[in-house]
Amino acid sequence: MTETMAADAPFAVSVRGVNMVFDGVHAVRDATFDLEKGRFLTILGPSGSGKTTLLRMIAGFGRPTSGEVFINGLAVGSVPPHKRSIGMVFQKLALFPHMTAAENVAFPLKMRRFDARSIPDRVQRYLDLVKLGKLGDRRIHELSGGQQQRVAIARALVFEPDLLLLDEPLAALDRKLREEMQLEFRRIQRELDVTTINVTHDQREALVVSDEIIVMDHGRIQQKARPEATYRQPKNAFVANFIGVTNFIEGAVASIDGEKIVFDRPGFAGRVGNGFRPAAGAAARGALRAEQIRIGSGREALGDVDTIFDGTVTDAIFEGERVVYEVSVKDLGETPLRVFDHDPVTHNQHDIGSSVALGWNVKDVLVFGD
Amino acid sequence: MRPSRTSYPLSWRLMDALEAIAAAVWPRSFSAAVPWLMLLPAVVLVGLLVLGLWDMADGSFRTLDTATFLPSDDYSLTNYHRAFTEKLFFTVASRSLIGSLIVTAVTLIFAFPYSYVMVRTRSTVLRKFLLIALFLPFFIGQVVRAYGWLIILGSQGMVNEALGLVGVSPIRLLYNYPAVLFGLVQYMLPFAVLMLAPALTAIPEEMESAAGSLGANWVRTFIHVVLPLAKPGFIGAGLVVMTLSLTDFAIPAILGGGSQDFIANAIYDQFFRTSDQGMGATLALLLVAVGSIMVGVVFALFGAGTLAIGRSK
């Protein structure tokens, strides 16, 4: 009976109303989501958001205070980690230093009582998969950081688990290697079609590797959506702020015209974000991405925009492929707006202290209540 | 605004004063000699030890003149011949050797779970309790502790009284080999725990979680991961316990009641009872030799464990 249920279960992982309280800290609050088989999910959030706690509960380290985790449709609350079919790559990798790379990969096969004769071939196949085919006899400390990552991945996947969990394994790598390994994770995940849950605080990594992103803050799931949707339609101000560079313009609602919300700041308006329809006079914040703002020395240089403000450049940060301007706009509050200029011809043309015009479209300003 | 007081703490001012005094007493141009000077006390102490050993080596070749009760002037190997042929010395030596091996094994088995819980527990109260329970016996001293065991295990001691209540006639719990080994294990346990704890602390908890997620239950995690990674701690603790119990004096003397002498007791008897300094020196040197060989064998077989020092490669 349960066998057929497991086979027919549509979701690889279901989390239902999970709470975790330890030492009086409510680390995870009422987490609920489903993950389909073969998908790559990233749980994204700042440190202390509860993302690792949630992952560890799915792995079986720590039982939820309330709520239930289902894997392939079966409640796993009382199943210890070694009886779950889960491969995990740990934050500090946790490779066994007293074993070679190949022994590390063979370890789960031995522990899970695979046929001894099949183990060497299988270990080699997975070392080949992570491009370490010739380094099996090396000890862990004889491998580079990137190679150690690959051993950890092979070890987590070699026994063909139902689920792969990644607990921020890339956090300690330098940027170039991290980006290379992100693409490796993506490639291997697609090749094996294994359901994967990744935990990270790196928004870029989340956008690059995932089919879906869960954004967490203060133990709560803020949004679960595809990467594009997470970026373009953030559900609240936290998500809008956490992913990408976002300017917030505080104010009060003057009037509402369909989807358009007009602020009490003359000339500033936005559109309804996430169904927030405030009454006139209510406090509201307009969220505007730095890359949505055009910058020019005069209003005529901005092209086709429906909102234009004048400002003064307070800082210009050269980042190579782009320049980040901080522009103080008297009519939009104290905080200067951050503006990206990617145009290779014009960028870095505005000196600190010079007057500029900023322009954007009302549809690019999302209005939130919080 | 007044600058914060902690921006130049009192301890720094104290150090400034000390440095000024040091500079006055010890001119800066001598500074290259300072490290060597600091080494001097230790070198003197070790040097004295070598002198003493040399003196004992000299004595070990002189036999006791039974007419004058003075060591002979001429050298001979008589003492060494006696040490290897007389049954008494063989009994004492094998008793100490076998005893130290048994004590080492039992102590390590007992110490491991204690250190493991102490290192891994999430409860700070439990950790503190275990630490205090560990250090308290250090304040009591070996002799007092051995007398404590006399009170508890004696024929009218607490244990036998309790047995009497349930109708068991008194059992002889003292003055035998197991009593000595028991006392030694009890004495050595804190040393072993203290040597094991750093080795266990050095094993990241994630290692054990990883073994679990890879399919190992706690027994297999222990055998395949914790034990191999804790090996340096076991070697360090084992060597300390083995050498300390091989050379122990007070516990065999008190809990053995003269019938369970270890080598150290035999040496004492030679020096202070029969006044045969030559024989005492011979036994002492042989003890040093046997202990060194045992340590050497362990080093050769397993490495130095946590006792390995120097820059890591």
Side-chain angles (χ1 to χ4, degrees):
Chain A
M1 178 63 202
T2 45
E3 290 291 316
T4 44
M5 266 183 64
D8 298 336
F11 295 115
V13 180
S14 290
V15 172
R16 287 278 167 273
V18 162
N19 283 275
M20 184 59 150
V21 184
F22 39 61
D23 300 337
V25 179
H26 209 143
V28 174
R29 289 170 191 270
D30 197 28
T32 297
F33 68 88
D34 296 309
L35 180 63
E36 280 166 45
K37 283 202 173 75
R39 306 279 276 177
F40 196 126
L41 170 76
T42 292
I43 305 176
L44 174 68
S47 59
S49 60
K51 56 188 192 302
T52 296
T53 310
L54 183 55
L55 189 83
R56 291 181 65 84
M57 283 189 286
I58 295 168
F61 305 117
R63 212 174 157 165
T65 313
S66 65
E68 189 61 271
V69 175
F70 299 85
I71 294 174
N72 290 332
L74 298 175
V76 292
S78 54
V79 182
H82 67 272
K83 293 202 171 135
R84 298 187 185 193
S85 177
I86 293 177
M88 186 154 172
V89 181
F90 288 81
Q91 205 159 36
K92 289 177 187 132
L93 303 184
L95 295 169
F96 303 131
H98 58 295
M99 300 180 191
T100 64
E103 281 167 354
N104 265 280
V105 178
F107 182 81
L109 300 176
K110 167 97 179 109
M111 292 302 120
R112 289 172 187 268
R113 301 177 201 283
F114 276 60
D115 178 12
R117 284 163 303 178
S118 75
I119 289 180
D121 284 343
R122 181 180 273 265
V123 167
Q124 192 55 46
R125 207 161 72 235
Y126 276 83
L127 285 173
D128 289 339
L129 174 78
V130 297
K131 300 173 182 165
L132 285 180
K134 293 194 178 80
L135 300 178
D137 294 331
R138 293 270 186 94
R139 295 217 159 241
I140 296 308
H141 63 86
E142 294 168 337
L143 297 171
S144 71
Q147 290 167 336
Q148 292 184 3
Q149 291 275 339
R150 290 166 187 273
V151 177
I153 300 165
R155 188 179 70 169
L157 288 170
V158 69
F159 56 100
E160 291 174 7
D162 293 340
L163 187 59
L164 175 65
L165 302 181
L166 309 170
D167 182 12
E168 290 199 70
L170 303 180
L173 298 182
D174 63 70
R175 188 173 160 183
K176 260 213 139 64
L177 193 53
R178 190 165 67 230
E179 288 174 3
E180 181 192 322
M181 288 311 297
Q182 287 166 2
L183 298 178
E184 272 301 280
F185 276 138
R186 185 77 251 204
R187 172 184 73 81
I188 292 165
Q189 194 268 337
R190 285 198 178 136
E191 210 167 309
L192 301 178
D193 201 30
V194 57
T195 316
T196 303
I197 303 180
N198 174 42
V199 157
T200 188
H201 61 262
D202 179 348
Q203 47 150 317
R204 190 185 175 281
E205 177 182 322
L207 296 171
V208 168
V209 300
S210 322
D211 297 318
E212 283 176 80
I213 297 175
I214 284 179
V215 181
M216 282 188 79
D217 185 42
H218 289 102
R220 269 187 205 287
I221 293 180
Q222 304 290 327
Q223 184 169 17
K224 175 172 179 284
R226 303 179 63 82
E228 298 84 354
T230 311
Y231 192 83
R232 292 188 209 286
Q233 286 111 42
K235 208 172 154 189
N236 55 36
F238 174 80
V239 178
N241 190 33
F242 194 69
I243 301 182
V245 175
T246 305
N247 298 294
F248 285 99
I249 294 126
E250 316 272 344
V253 176
S255 66
I256 302 173
D257 173 14
E259 288 289 300
K260 187 176 171 183
I261 298 174
V262 181
F263 278 67
D264 60 351
R265 296 181 182 277
F268 184 68
R271 72 178 166 90
V272 171
N274 185 36
F276 170 67
R277 291 179 177 279
R285 330 164 66 180
L288 177 60
R289 299 272 189 211
E291 73 271 18
Q292 306 281 19
I293 306 178
R294 296 185 207 175
I295 184 167
S297 12
R299 288 177 169 237
E300 63 288 344
L302 297 175
D304 188 18
V305 288
D306 57 24
T307 306
I308 296 179
F309 282 91
D310 292 316
T312 312
V313 176
T314 55
D315 204 355
I317 302 141
F318 180 66
E319 289 186 353
E321 81 278 15
R322 70 182 184 198
V323 174
V324 182
Y325 290 107
E326 293 200 343
V327 180
S328 152
V329 179
K330 202 166 74 258
D331 299 334
L332 293 179
E334 297 288 308
T335 321
L337 300 189
R338 279 169 297 172
V339 182
F340 294 159
D341 190 349
H342 285 93
D343 188 332
V345 180
T346 62
H347 86 217
N348 217 14
Q349 295 294 301
H350 308 290
D351 295 327
I352 295 174
S354 61
S355 297
V356 288
L358 301 181
W360 60 84
N361 290 308
V362 170
K363 71 173 175 59
D364 295 328
V365 179
L366 289 177
V367 181
F368 299 108
D370 52 355
Chain B
M1 212 166 71
R2 264 184 57 207
S4 169
R5 246 190 317 173
T6 49
S7 56
Y8 205 84
L10 186 65
S11 56
W12 292 7
R13 290 179 207 282
L14 264 168
M15 289 306 295
D16 285 349
L18 285 175
E19 275 174 30
I21 294 168
V25 175
W26 191 259
R28 210 162 265 269
S29 51
F30 292 179
S31 64
V34 169
W36 299 107
L37 200 73
M38 292 169 96
L39 209 56
L40 197 64
V43 170
V44 168
L45 287 174
V46 173
L48 283 174
L49 193 70
V50 172
L51 272 183
L53 268 178
W54 180 257
D55 198 46
M56 283 174 77
D58 177 80
S60 72
F61 293 108
R62 300 173 195 270
T63 47
L64 182 71
D65 188 336
T66 43
T68 59
F69 266 93
L70 286 172
S72 61
D73 284 334
D74 51 331
Y75 294 115
S76 75
L77 284 173
T78 318
N79 288 330
Y80 288 91
H81 187 256
R82 278 182 63 202
F84 283 107
T85 51
E86 281 181 27
K87 190 157 183 302
L88 169 73
F89 297 129
F90 177 77
T91 312
V92 168
S94 48
R95 185 189 288 136
S96 332
L97 271 172
I98 294 168
S100 70
L101 291 177
I102 296 173
V103 167
T104 306
V106 175
T107 307
L108 289 183
I109 292 169
F110 286 177
F112 178 82
Y114 195 105
S115 342
Y116 187 84
V117 172
M118 199 173 78
V119 167
R120 285 284 192 253
T121 179
R122 298 196 191 288
S123 152
T124 45
V125 177
L126 180 61
R127 191 186 346 268
K128 274 184 191 142
F129 171 77
L130 291 174
L131 267 174
I132 291 170
L134 197 64
F135 277 106
L136 215 54
F138 274 129
F139 303 139
I140 296 171
Q142 214 187 350
V143 175
V144 177
R145 216 169 344 153
Y147 274 111
W149 285 120
L150 293 188
I151 295 166
I152 294 168
L153 299 176
S155 51
Q156 264 123 46
M158 280 154 57
V159 173
N160 272 321
E161 270 183 21
L163 287 175
L165 290 179
V166 291
V168 179
S169 52
I171 307 169
R172 199 177 129 98
L173 296 167
L174 282 171
Y175 311 128
N176 52 29
Y177 198 37
V180 172
L181 298 188
F182 172 81
L184 280 172
V185 167
Q186 200 264 345
Y187 177 63
M188 296 302 165
L189 200 62
F191 294 103
V193 171
L194 285 180
M195 297 291 293
L196 270 175
L200 291 178
T201 312
I203 304 174
E205 227 173 323
E206 231 182 32
M207 290 283 178
E208 290 166 55
S209 300
S213 85
L214 295 170
N217 58 23
W218 73 266
V219 178
R220 301 179 118 205
T221 301
F222 173 75
I223 293 170
H224 291 281
V225 177
V226 179
L227 211 54
L229 291 178
K231 200 179 84 173
F234 278 105
I235 294 168
L239 283 174
V240 166
V241 172
M242 195 174 68
T243 46
L244 285 181
S245 40
L246 180 66
T247 56
D248 200 64
F249 176 80
I251 291 195
I254 297 169
L255 294 184
S259 68
Q260 302 296 332
D261 280 357
F262 272 35
I263 303 180
N265 308 91
I267 295 170
Y268 178 89
D269 285 349
Q270 294 301 330
F271 273 111
F272 300 108
R273 292 235 167 101
T274 52
S275 285
D276 189 344
Q277 290 183 30
M279 196 62 219
T282 306
L283 292 178
L285 285 175
L286 287 175
L287 178 59
V288 171
V290 168
S292 307
I293 290 169
M294 283 169 85
V295 172
V297 166
V298 171
F299 274 18
L301 287 181
F302 306 112
T306 48
L307 300 177
I309 40 179
R311 291 186 185 180
S312 54
K313 276 164 247 161

